[in-house]
Structure formats: structure tokens, C-alpha cells
Amino acid sequence: MSYDPSRPPTHLTYPWQPPPPEPPRPYRTPVREPLGHHSDLRVLRGAYRWQRRTATLTALGYFTLFLVLSAFAPGVMTRTVADGIPAGLLLALLQLPVTWLAIALYEHTARRHVDPLADRIRKEAELNARRGATR
């Protein structure tokens, strides 16, 4: 056993001595998760949330307008619009096209905003999976 000044002894020589300091650890970059980035998923969630709100508010907004007019404006709902058709019936029949409009808005926002983000994240995940398989 020889004395090496670069390595402190593993035992304390005197009981009042403080323990030797730990050697500094070499800096390493943290290992990143290969599946996507958190910011990408956050953007995707935001786009999907916007998509749901747009479609939901379109359909429910019109339905709420119809209910409010039915409850608080019966004069508007009983007024005839054309050839004896009351406005309430016309507004009720328009609920189906408004629902179709909400579905079309949902599909449009999906194609324009959500699907490209999801495709990009999916491709990155496939690329990371291939990289992980070759290691």
C-alpha cells in the first residue's frame, strides 16, 4: 500500500475530521426520451382543444340561441316568416344544417391544424424508434 495524494483515504484518520469532499462528477447531458418533445405534444393538445371548442360552440351556441328565443322571445318564434311558416319552426329545421356545419368545421380544423402536427410527431417517433433499434 502506497500513499497517493490524489486520492483521499476512505477512512477518517481522526474522528473530528470532516468527511472528505466527494470528487466532482463529470458533466453529462441528460438522456432525452426518444418519443417526441413535450412542446410538440403541448402544441398538439392546444390545437386539438381549439378544434373541439370551435365545433362544440358552433353547435351548442346555435342550440342555446334557439332555446333562449323559445323561452324569452315567444313573439319572435311565433312570427310567420314565409307562407305561414313560423320562425320557430324554421330555426328548429336549421339545427340540422348547423350541426353539419359544426362537423365540417371539426374536419376542416383537423385537416388544417391537428393532423399535420400529429403526422410530424408520428414521423419523429418512428425515426426515434428506428434510431433506438440500431443502437
Side-chain angles (χ1 to χ4, degrees):
M1 253 179 126
S2 65
Y3 177 70
D4 185 9
S6 65
R7 289 183 57 206
T10 57
H11 61 283
L12 295 176
T13 310
Y14 301 103
W16 58 84
Q17 273 185 317
E22 290 188 27
R25 296 181 183 203
Y27 179 75
R28 293 188 325 181
T29 57
V31 178
R32 296 182 93 187
E33 289 294 323
L35 182 59
H37 301 285
H38 293 293
S39 62
D40 292 340
L41 296 176
R42 193 176 307 122
V43 169
L44 180 64
R45 278 194 307 265
Y48 184 60
R49 189 178 308 122
W50 179 255
Q51 175 193 21
R52 287 186 319 231
R53 285 179 186 164
T54 302
T56 302
L57 290 178
T58 301
L60 288 181
Y62 182 80
F63 184 68
T64 304
L65 173 71
F66 178 75
L67 288 178
V68 167
L69 286 174
S70 297
F72 298 110
V76 173
M77 299 299 273
T78 57
R79 186 177 303 148
T80 58
V81 178
D83 294 332
I85 298 176
L89 179 63
L90 187 63
L91 289 174
L93 292 175
L94 282 175
Q95 283 185 359
L96 189 60
V98 168
T99 304
W100 290 339
L101 175 69
I103 292 169
L105 275 172
Y106 189 85
E107 289 178 359
H108 174 74
T109 55
R111 278 192 216 107
R112 185 171 177 131
H113 300 288
V114 178
D115 289 347
L117 289 171
D119 288 340
R120 189 183 75 201
I121 291 172
R122 190 176 300 116
K123 286 178 186 175
E124 286 179 6
E126 288 173 1
L127 182 64
N128 287 334
R130 279 191 227 126
R131 283 183 189 159
T134 58
R135 287 185 188 172

